[in-house]
Structure formats: C-alpha cells, structure tokens
Amino acid sequence: MQPTDNNTRIDTLDYLRGFALLGIILVNIPSLMWIEPPTLASDIAYNRFLTLFIEGKFFIIFSFLFGVGFYLFISRAMARNEKAYALFSRRLFILLLMGLVHFYFQPGEALTIYAIFGFIALPFYKMRKEINVIIGLLLLALTAYFGIKIAMPFPLILLGLAAGQYRLFENISIHRNKLMLATIVMFCISIASWFYQWQYVPEANVNFDQLSKDQLEEHIINVEQFTLIGLQISPIVSAFYMGAIILLLQSPLFQRLLSPLKAYGRIALTNYLGQTALILVIGHAFDLIGQLRFIESLWICLGIYVFQLLFSKGWLHFFRFGPMEWLWRMGTYWTVPPLRQRKNID
C-alpha cells in the first residue's frame, strides 16, 4: 500500500472495486430474475436489509472509483507523453458501446452512464482540485437530497477525480489518522441515519382493501420516504464502508483475508458483465425467471461470488488482464496487448 510510480497498480482500488461488486449484484438480481414484491417474513426482512445497507451504497463506491481511475489513466498517459485525452475519449467510447449492449440485457446497467458522464467530466481534469471538490459535493448533495440516482455518478466522478488529484490513494499512510477520524464520523452519522430511516419502514403484508384513505396515504408516504432517505444517506454510508475497508487493509492480516477481493476487483469489468450473464444463464437454464423469492436470490448471489472469486484468482494466475479488460485495452490503444501473464500476481 505504498506510494506508486506511473506503472504500478494501486492495490487498494482493486480491493474496493471487488467489495463494490459484492453489493451491486444483490441489487441487480431482483429485476433480472423478475422477482415479485416480498410477502413472506423472511423476504420482507431481506428486502429491508437491502434498502438499509446495500441499495445505492455500492453503486456510489463504484462511481467514485471510476473517477479515481479517470484521473490515474490520464495522468499516467501524460507522463508517458501519450495523447491522453484522445486515448481516454476512445476508452469512454468503447465503454459506451459495451454499455449499450449490456443495456439490452440489463436496463439498470451503469456503463453507459459512466461513459456519458466521463465525457462531460473531461474538462474538469484541468480544474483545480478544490473546485472539483466543491462542485462535486454540491451536486452530490442536490442529487442525493432529491433522489436523482441516475445523475449521482457525475458528482461522484468529480470527487473521485479530486481524490486522484490529492493523491489520496497513493499516500494512505500519510492520511491514516485523518482517514480514521473521518471514518468514525461517517459511522456515527450512518448509525443515526439508519435509525431515522427506520422510522419510515413500511408495514408488511398490508391489506389495502381494509385501509382507510388516511392509512393508505400514510403507507404510501412511508414507502416513498423509506426508499428516498436510503438514497439520501447513501454517500455517508458509502464513505464509511470505504473508510473501513481502507483502514482494515493497513493490516497485513486483513490484506491476506480480503485478498480474494483484490483479484475480483482487478477484473471488475469482466465480473460486472459476468454477473448479468451468469444470472440470466442460471435463470433461464433452471426456469427460475419469475419463480424466485427475494431470499432465494441471495443463495444464487453467494454461488456466483464463489465462482467469480475463484475464476478471478485463477485467470490472473495465467493472464495479465480480464477478458473484457483486454478487449477494452485493445480498443483504447488500437493494438493487441500481450495477454499471457509473465509472472504471478501477488
């Protein structure tokens, strides 16, 4: 976890990408499997768990990390005297194409959004880091407050870009005490926010025919507020999650324990698209589309975790890039990069 040169990967980012993938699949699988709203107690409890702790939180981490990657790609390309903006624009265009294909199978996919906002964010690379922080925080506050989830990636990309400009992930040891303080603060605010959100938790198994007009209105308000508050507090909870993971990674013990996430996140694009492919293949092969309960989708996710974590580690033992990362790189540089691994990853 030491400061890096222009050609060295920052392991922390791979761990965080892998961590983000764990949450993203839990949110995506209900729509892909056409899961009906929960009615049984276990399904209702699991759905509430997703809304409280998962929904919107891992999407935010992924969006922020895209901004960090944006900074690293351009800054390192410039250091190599390459045409950084042209390369990154080509990179975004290929991501957009991948996203459009993915959108056909998963309408809630994020790659097209990242590509579009990436183009919009390009001029901000030359902005002062303080300006990027201010604009990013203001836009994030506005989009989160009004629950405009589709617009949230843009300010998060700006904040990730600013984090890169401050070289936060390359100098974690220097900022460790500040990071610990910020993580504790985010944790305390998250706890208070979760309690506040819980005040609006909707009643389970409501018989709408027996509700009065006022009771129906109250139920609808609770449903809307429970979801909206979850999105409003997501940046705070996500910051706590990221801070906690980064602090844990300062320990060699936790680096080893969490090492499967490193390979998982290193080929994040392959695994993100692979999650959709695996869910749809499993759903159609076993005729599960529209047949699953909420809690049952969790077991499928756990199975996909095991498969992808093992696949990622095994693949990177022999190859330098994930399959989709290799194609992405090929299209970016208009050359065929060597795929075989020259030496094992750590």
Side-chain angles (χ1 to χ4, degrees), residues 146-160:
F146 290 106
I148 312 173
K149 184 178 179 180
I150 196 171
M152 290 177 71
F154 180 66
L156 289 163
I157 290 171
L158 291 186
L159 291 174

Side-chain angles (χ1 to χ4, degrees), residues 142-321:
L142 286 172
T143 53
Y145 180 78
F146 290 106
I148 312 173
K149 184 178 179 180
I150 196 171
M152 290 177 71
F154 180 66
L156 289 163
I157 290 171
L158 291 186
L159 291 174
L161 169 60
Q165 291 173 318
Y166 278 103
R167 304 180 73 87
L168 295 182
F169 288 95
E170 298 169 80
N171 300 293
I172 290 175
S173 59
I174 298 175
H175 304 289
R176 185 172 181 175
N177 291 336
K178 293 179 181 178
L179 175 62
M180 184 174 296
L181 176 61
T183 302
I184 292 172
V185 171
M186 293 298 105
F187 172 69
C188 293
I189 298 175
S190 296
I191 293 294
S193 300
W194 280 323
F195 275 110
Y196 174 66
Q197 183 183 4
W198 189 255
Q199 305 307 306
Y200 292 91
V201 63
E203 291 291 331
N205 294 325
V206 175
N207 188 335
F208 292 98
D209 294 333
Q210 296 180 359
L211 293 181
S212 66
K213 182 179 178 181
D214 290 341
Q215 289 174 326
L216 179 60
E217 289 179 354
E218 181 182 359
H219 178 75
I220 293 173
I221 290 173
N222 284 344
V223 170
E224 293 175 347
Q225 287 297 111
F226 188 61
T227 303
L228 176 60
I229 293 171
L231 192 58
Q232 290 172 337
I233 68 174
S234 288
I236 295 170
V237 177
S238 299
F240 160 61
Y241 287 169
M242 283 194 292
I245 293 294
I246 294 170
L247 289 172
L248 288 175
L249 289 174
Q250 303 316 296
S251 162
L253 172 62
F254 280 101
Q255 285 185 33
R256 289 194 295 272
L257 290 176
L258 298 176
S259 61
L261 293 181
K262 179 181 172 184
Y264 196 38
R266 184 167 176 179
I267 57 173
L269 178 61
T270 293
N271 284 321
Y272 173 67
L273 296 174
Q275 287 178 351
T276 299
L278 287 170
I279 290 170
L280 292 177
V281 168
I282 292 170
H284 287 287
F286 297 97
D287 197 24
L288 297 176
I289 304 297
Q291 305 299 319
L292 281 180
R293 292 165 42 204
F294 258 86
I295 194 66
E296 290 172 338
S297 72
L298 174 61
W299 309 126
I300 293 178
C301 291
L302 293 176
I304 291 175
Y305 289 161
V306 173
F307 173 79
Q308 288 195 317
L309 288 168
L310 292 174
F311 169 81
S312 300
K313 187 68 175 179
W315 180 273
L316 289 174
H317 183 80
F318 296 103
F319 303 104
R320 300 175 62 194
F321 314 105

Side-chain angles (χ1 to χ4, degrees), residues 20-254:
L21 285 170
L22 296 180
I24 286 172
I25 188 175
L26 297 176
V27 176
N28 286 343
I29 192 171
S31 61
L32 287 168
M33 284 290 195
W34 291 52
I35 298 177
E36 295 291 330
T39 54
L40 299 179
S42 58
D43 295 322
I44 291 170
Y46 178 58
N47 188 43
R48 288 174 177 174
F49 168 81
L50 291 178
T51 305
L52 282 168
F53 304 111
I54 308 296
E55 175 67 41
K57 283 72 174 176
F58 292 80
F59 168 72
I60 282 177
I61 295 174
F62 222 55
S63 301
F64 174 80
L65 294 175
F66 183 82
V68 178
F70 166 18
Y71 169 80
L72 290 174
F73 183 93
I74 292 183
S75 61
R76 291 176 175 183
M78 287 182 170
R80 296 191 296 266
N81 294 317
E82 296 173 337
K83 297 179 179 179
Y85 285 96
L87 286 174
F88 193 68
S89 296
R90 203 181 300 158
R91 185 175 177 84
L92 290 175
F93 180 71
I94 295 167
L95 188 68
L96 178 62
L97 294 180
M98 289 182 179
L100 290 173
V101 174
H102 189 221
F103 181 83
Y104 177 80
F105 300 97
Q106 162 59 311
E109 76 94 36
L111 301 183
T112 51
I113 297 173
Y114 291 162
I116 292 169
F117 283 138
F119 280 116
I120 297 173
L122 268 175
F124 289 85
Y125 179 84
K126 293 185 177 180
M127 289 276 194
R128 291 175 53 189
K129 51 193 175 186
E130 297 85 359
I131 294 177
N132 284 332
V133 169
I134 293 171
I135 294 175
L137 288 175
L138 287 175
L139 290 179
L140 182 59
L142 286 172
T143 53
Y145 180 78
F146 290 106
I148 312 173
K149 184 178 179 180
I150 196 171
M152 290 177 71
F154 180 66
L156 289 163
I157 290 171
L158 291 186
L159 291 174
L161 169 60
Q165 291 173 318
Y166 278 103
R167 304 180 73 87
L168 295 182
F169 288 95
E170 298 169 80
N171 300 293
I172 290 175
S173 59
I174 298 175
H175 304 289
R176 185 172 181 175
N177 291 336
K178 293 179 181 178
L179 175 62
M180 184 174 296
L181 176 61
T183 302
I184 292 172
V185 171
M186 293 298 105
F187 172 69
C188 293
I189 298 175
S190 296
I191 293 294
S193 300
W194 280 323
F195 275 110
Y196 174 66
Q197 183 183 4
W198 189 255
Q199 305 307 306
Y200 292 91
V201 63
E203 291 291 331
N205 294 325
V206 175
N207 188 335
F208 292 98
D209 294 333
Q210 296 180 359
L211 293 181
S212 66
K213 182 179 178 181
D214 290 341
Q215 289 174 326
L216 179 60
E217 289 179 354
E218 181 182 359
H219 178 75
I220 293 173
I221 290 173
N222 284 344
V223 170
E224 293 175 347
Q225 287 297 111
F226 188 61
T227 303
L228 176 60
I229 293 171
L231 192 58
Q232 290 172 337
I233 68 174
S234 288
I236 295 170
V237 177
S238 299
F240 160 61
Y241 287 169
M242 283 194 292
I245 293 294
I246 294 170
L247 289 172
L248 288 175
L249 289 174
Q250 303 316 296
S251 162
L253 172 62
F254 280 101

